[in-house]
Amino acid sequence: MRGSETQNVLLCTINDGGNISQILATYAFYVTIRGMGCNPVIYEEGGRLDTKISEYIRARCCISSDMHVHSSVEEYLDTFDIMLTGGERKWECRGDETLDTCFLHFGREDAGRIAYAPSFGDGCGLPLGPKNTAAFLLKRFDKIGAADIGTLSLLDTEFGISADEVCSPILLIDRYPHFDIGEIEGLFIFAFFEKYDGRKHAAVEMAEKTIKYRVEDYSMDSANAFHKSVDEYLNAVEKSSLIITDSPAVTQLAIVYEKPFILMISRKENVFHFPLLANLGLEERIIYAEDDIHEKKYLCRKPIKYGAVSARLRELRLSSARWLEACLAAKDHL
C-alpha cells in the first residue's frame, strides 16, 4: 500500500448478475478482503447488477457505479492498487464481455492482478486468436488459484501456467446474512436444479415418498430466475431438512449450513469440477443420473456427520484465506 493508506481492491467477478453462484462468490470475496484490512469495491460493468438476485450485494457492498461520478471510468479504475477476478465461469467471456474485462487488461500497469477460483466453464472454447491474447494477458497475473481440477488442468495444458489450489470462494465465509422471509414452515425438501430433466424430477419424487416431506422447488426456470431473491434462496437452504440439487453453489451452501444433501449429476459431466466432495469425504452424496437412483435411496434418510466435515472445511478455508492474504500483502509496496 502507499504509506499508511488502505489498499483499494477492485473485484471484477461478475459476468452474469442472475447467477446466484457468482453473486454469493462476490459477496464472500468482499467480506473476506474487507476483513483483511483492504477496501474492496465491486466492479459493475455493462449493467450486470440490475437483477433481482444481484440486489443481495447492491444492498450490502460498495459498487463502482455508485462511486466514480466525479471522474471518468478510466481515471477511477486507475485508483485501484489491486484487481481480483474469479468466480464461476468468469473466464468464459459470456454475453458482451470482452477479453479485456475477463482478464483484467485495464487499470494501472503496476496494479496487482490476482485470480481466485476463476473457471472456464466446461472448457476453454476461445478461438485461436482470442486464446493467444488470453495467454498473453494471463502471464500478467501475479498469482492464480483454482478451485477445480478442470481449471488447473486447462491452465497447465492450454496456457503453460501452474496455479495453486484454493477452495471455492463461497466457502470462504461461514454464514451469509439474509432476511428471514418467514414464508416456509414445517419439514420440507429444498430442490434446486439449474437444468431440470426427468431423471432429476424422479429423484425428487423418490425423496418425497421416502421421507414424507413436502417439496419446495426453487429450480432456475424462467419464473424463479427473475422473481426470487438471494434472501429467499438462503432462507430455504437454512430451513430445509434435505437439499437435492445439480448446482455446485447450492451444494456448497448445504455444506456451509451443515445440511444433508444429494448432488444429482450426469456421468457425462466433468466430475473433476467437484473435488470439494472428495476433499471432505462426501463423494457418497452424489447420485448419477444414468444409474438406478433407488440404489442410493438411503441417502434421503442418512445424515451427514458434520463434525469431521466441518473440521476439514475449516482447514481448507484457512489455507485459502492465507493464500489470498499473502497475495494482497505482496503488493504492500505499491
Side-chain angles (χ1 to χ4, degrees):
M1 66 181 70
R2 298 183 185 118
S4 61
E5 293 181 12
T6 301
Q7 291 189 97
N8 295 319
V9 181
L10 187 66
L11 302 181
C12 311
T13 53
I14 295 172
N15 53 13
D16 181 357
N19 185 320
I20 189 172
S21 176
Q22 286 195 324
I23 295 300
L24 292 176
T26 295
Y27 177 78
F29 281 138
Y30 184 89
V31 171
T32 301
I33 291 172
R34 187 177 59 183
M36 293 175 178
C38 297
N39 178 36
V41 176
I42 296 168
Y43 185 34
E44 180 178 33
E45 190 268 338
R48 294 189 174 92
L49 296 180
D50 294 327
T51 67
K52 183 74 172 178
I53 287 178
S54 67
E55 288 177 2
Y56 185 79
I57 55 175
R58 293 201 69 88
R60 295 172 171 86
C61 307
C62 293
I63 311 293
S64 65
S65 61
D66 301 329
M67 304 177 71
H68 62 75
V69 291
H70 298 300
S71 63
S72 69
V73 174
E74 291 74 17
E75 291 172 329
Y76 177 71
L77 294 177
D78 283 344
T79 66
F80 288 92
D81 306 302
I82 295 175
M83 293 179 290
L84 183 147
T85 192
E88 184 175 308
R89 301 188 177 186
K90 191 62 189 76
W91 282 347
E92 206 175 31
C93 292
R94 305 180 73 188
D96 61 351
E97 191 166 47
T98 65
L99 288 175
D100 286 352
T101 55
C102 257
F103 298 99
L104 305 183
H105 188 42
F106 56 88
R108 299 199 323 264
E109 284 295 318
D110 65 343
R113 288 170 172 80
I114 301 168
Y116 185 105
S119 171
F120 291 97
D122 293 329
C124 181
L126 294 173
L128 182 60
K131 184 177 176 181
N132 288 337
T133 301
F136 169 76
L137 296 176
L138 282 169
K139 300 293 185 183
R140 302 179 67 203
F141 279 78
D142 297 284
K143 293 290 285 185
I144 298 176
D148 65 87
I149 300 169
T151 301
L152 285 168
S153 176
L154 277 170
L155 286 168
D156 180 30
T157 59
E158 299 288 337
F159 299 100
I161 291 175
S162 178
D164 300 311
E165 189 170 354
V166 295
C167 74
S168 164
I170 291 177
L171 298 173
L172 283 173
I173 58 178
D174 59 7
R175 281 295 182 270
Y176 288 82
H178 61 276
F179 296 110
D180 186 348
I181 307 300
E183 297 176 350
I184 312 177
E185 301 297 339
L187 301 174
F188 66 93
I189 299 166
F190 173 62
F192 180 98
F193 294 109
E194 295 178 351
K195 299 177 181 178
Y196 218 155
D197 59 35
R199 296 292 291 170
K200 294 171 184 176
H201 179 71
V204 173
E205 283 190 332
M206 177 190 71
E208 185 180 19
K209 292 176 181 178
T210 301
I211 60 177
K212 311 298 183 184
Y213 297 166
R214 75 180 190 280
V215 174
E216 295 285 344
D217 193 344
Y218 280 59
S219 297
M220 292 298 289
D221 57 27
S222 58
N224 284 334
F226 291 103
H227 298 297
K228 288 193 180 297
S229 67
V230 172
D231 287 273
E232 290 176 276
Y233 289 115
L234 291 173
N235 192 51
V237 167
E238 188 172 51
K239 292 182 176 180
S240 65
S241 299
L242 173 66
I243 295 171
I244 304 180
T245 186
D246 62 356
S247 164
V250 173
T251 300
Q252 291 155 19
L253 284 176
I255 294 169
V256 167
Y257 285 93
E258 299 188 350
K259 296 289 181 176
F261 67 88
I262 293 172
L263 175 62
M264 185 90 181
I265 58 175
S266 170
R267 288 189 180 276
K268 298 176 183 178
E269 296 181 56
N270 290 325
V271 181
F272 52 54
H273 289 312
F274 302 93
L276 171 71
L277 299 187
N279 290 338
L280 298 180
L282 294 172
E283 307 100 310
E284 180 188 29
R285 308 303 297 196
I286 297 175
I287 292 182
Y288 293 102
E290 293 83 356
D291 298 347
D292 180 359
I293 60 175
H294 291 88
E295 289 182 357
K296 286 198 169 181
K297 181 179 179 180
Y298 66 89
L299 289 178
C300 300
R301 296 185 182 278
K302 185 176 182 179
I304 296 175
K305 296 179 180 179
Y306 269 108
V309 172
S310 296
R312 294 180 187 176
L313 178 58
R314 283 192 295 272
E315 292 177 4
L316 289 172
R317 180 181 292 145
L318 181 60
S319 64
S320 297
R322 284 175 175 168
W323 181 91
L324 181 55
E325 190 168 27
C327 293
L328 296 173
K331 289 297 176 179
D332 276 355
H333 65 278
L334 291 176

